[in-house]
Amino acid sequence: MVLLKMKFNQQRRVRLAQGLWLLSWLAVMCGAFIFCLGVYLKTELLRRNEVMENTEIHVVPNILMLVGLASIGTNWVATRVCQDSLDASRFPRWKVLLLAWFVVAALLCCLLLAVVVLSYVLQGRLEESLKVGLRNGIRFYKDTDVPGRCFQKETIDRLQMEFRCCGNNNFKDWFEVQWVSGRFLDYTAQEVKDRIRSNVDGRYLLDGVPFSCCNPASPRPCLQYHLTDNRAHFNYDYLSEDLNLYSRGCRQALTDYYMGLMNSTGPGVLSVILIQISVILSLRYLQTAVEGAMALENPEGDSEGYILEKGVKETFEEVKVKVLTMIKLAQVDPEGVPDEAEAEKAADTAAEKAASPTPAS
């Protein structure tokens, strides 16, 4: 049973080759788009690498960049095949390479589909990575004179201002850590002594937040300190006051940002998959139509093009038998290497058995 068979004359083959040539170049540009998309996403992830515990989410841009480059090369090859399909003397050289081309092109489609799935599956891992990374970033905020952490304060401040967020979950996370460096504390002051003594770990804790938590859109001047003391500020109620701080935590802000980026790539990636599948099917029709005309020893005559020469099951069985036969031939026989003609005969016999219909019981 020939799957999806179509009739082709010389004019239709030429039109198919011309249309596929244009489609292949479109696929090349789509490959460049996928690569640039991966580079952009990778860059954005690396910018916030200091507030991430692990780099598992980097698998998404890594696959995009790999598939983008491979897609550019693969579809460029398809454009050359289209050109050579119009020349009966040049097309036969592609006969062996086209099998590998179809395998690679199908693999690229599978990888692109995996990117779409991973973009949703890894959301939980991304959120957990940000949770731990931001918690450590807030804890090391004060270590401006510690090697390896001296830029942590600047990173967190810029992050909170850019994403309009405060703390890990919310602004109260700053109440639980000492975020003021000991270099700027007067340990002879009574207030500093009282705060350190009141804490079991001997830390200087404040009911305050860094300046980067302040919301410039608030009509009230920024309140950074004594946020839980109603008497410290005029006309102020900690429980009911609409604080002039960012209410959203940075973990949620970053998760929404990165998931928005990856989710927005979904429609684009799916469109590229459809274009790549169109190239695969069109090239298969062109290959079989040209080879059919050459088999009739009339390159300009009518021929048939198809996707599969046999049914899906029969084709799968035939490919499996050929692969197994190749594996057996590659193994070293202790009694001697089998004759090549006998091996080919055995492979053809096995393929005929796999393709023959099973008799009804």
Side-chain angles (χ1 to χ4, degrees):
M1 180 183 66
V2 179
L3 189 61
L4 300 177
K5 181 173 63 174
M6 296 178 63
K7 292 284 187 178
F8 288 90
N9 53 29
Q10 176 65 6
Q11 185 178 6
R12 290 192 66 184
R13 287 196 296 270
V14 171
R15 289 180 179 177
L16 177 60
Q18 292 172 341
L20 179 56
W21 184 84
L22 293 174
L23 188 62
S24 298
W25 276 115
L26 176 62
V28 168
M29 291 187 288
C30 288
F33 165 74
I34 290 294
F35 176 76
C36 294
L37 193 63
V39 171
Y40 174 72
L41 184 56
K42 182 77 171 183
T43 303
E44 287 298 302
L45 289 172
L46 289 176
R47 285 182 60 195
R48 314 297 173 195
N49 198 46
E50 294 182 358
V51 294
M52 291 187 182
E53 176 65 15
N54 56 62
T55 57
E56 291 182 2
I57 193 65
H58 286 241
V59 67
V60 173
N62 290 343
I63 293 177
L64 285 175
M65 290 187 292
L66 175 64
V67 171
L69 289 176
S71 180
I72 292 174
T74 301
N75 290 291
W76 178 82
V77 171
T79 62
R80 299 301 304 272
V81 175
C82 293
Q83 293 175 337
D84 291 349
S85 66
L86 304 178
D87 189 341
S89 62
R90 299 170 62 184
F91 185 78
R93 65 179 180 176
W94 295 104
K95 185 173 182 180
V96 177
L97 295 177
L98 279 177
L99 178 60
W101 186 95
F102 286 119
V103 173
V104 172
L107 180 61
L108 294 181
C109 291
C110 294
L111 287 175
L112 286 175
L113 190 60
V115 166
V116 177
V117 175
L118 287 173
S119 297
Y120 293 94
V121 171
L122 292 178
Q123 179 174 355
R125 302 296 300 173
L126 172 63
E127 191 169 356
E128 184 63 25
S129 175
L130 288 170
K131 178 181 178 180
V132 178
L134 285 169
R135 184 175 61 198
N136 292 334
I138 292 173
R139 184 157 57 93
F140 301 141
Y141 181 87
K142 68 182 188 320
D143 298 336
T144 53
D145 55 349
V146 177
R149 302 176 186 171
C150 52
F151 295 106
Q152 197 69 51
K153 177 183 179 300
E154 180 182 359
T155 299
I156 295 297
D157 282 334
R158 291 185 180 277
L159 175 69
Q160 293 188 143
M161 289 187 291
E162 180 179 351
F163 287 89
R164 305 175 68 86
C165 59
C166 184
N168 193 340
N169 299 308
N170 52 55
F171 67 91
K172 294 181 182 179
D173 293 327
W174 290 103
F175 299 174
E176 302 173 1
V177 297
Q178 178 181 336
W179 54 272
V180 179
S181 174
R183 296 167 54 196
F184 308 109
L185 291 177
D186 182 5
Y187 289 99
T188 62
Q190 189 61 40
E191 181 186 359
V192 175
K193 292 180 181 180
D194 292 341
R195 286 190 177 275
I196 293 177
R197 288 171 183 171
S198 64
N199 185 263
V200 177
D201 298 328
R203 294 178 297 170
Y204 181 73
L205 301 183
L206 290 171
D207 55 343
V209 296
F211 77 96
S212 53
C213 281
C214 294
N215 185 357
S218 173
R220 183 167 191 161
C222 183
L223 301 179
Q224 288 182 248
Y225 303 102
H226 307 292
L227 295 177
T228 59
D229 187 0
N230 291 335
R231 296 172 300 176
H233 311 285
F234 176 73
N235 193 22
Y236 177 78
D237 185 357
Y238 168 66
L239 298 178
S240 62
E241 178 75 11
D242 184 12
L243 298 178
N244 55 355
L245 307 175
Y246 296 126
S247 57
R248 185 171 61 160
C250 290
R251 174 164 57 93
Q252 186 62 47
L254 283 172
T255 301
D256 292 344
Y257 174 71
Y258 284 122
M259 291 310 300
L261 279 180
M262 288 189 285
N263 291 342
S264 63
T265 65
V269 171
L270 290 176
S271 300
V272 173
I273 293 175
L274 293 177
I275 293 174
Q276 189 65 58
I277 291 176
S278 300
V279 172
I280 293 174
L281 297 179
S282 300
L283 186 56
R284 177 58 177 168
Y285 273 120
L286 181 63
Q287 176 199 12
T288 53
V290 173
E291 288 180 352
M294 294 175 63
L296 297 174
E297 298 182 354
N298 184 11
E300 297 183 0
D302 294 348
S303 62
E304 293 183 349
Y306 50 83
I307 302 300
L308 295 176
E309 186 177 4
K310 302 175 183 178
V312 176
K313 183 178 179 180
E314 292 82 356
T315 302
F316 175 77
E317 292 293 337
E318 184 176 350
V319 171
K320 183 175 71 173
V321 169
K322 289 184 177 180
V323 170
L324 292 176
T325 304
M326 291 175 63
I327 294 175
K328 291 180 180 179
L329 290 174
Q331 295 176 349
V332 178
D333 189 352
E335 299 180 357
V337 180
D339 184 67
E340 183 178 354
E342 293 181 0
E344 292 181 357
K345 183 178 179 180
D348 294 339
T349 304
E352 292 176 1
K353 291 182 178 179
S356 60
T358 305
S361 56

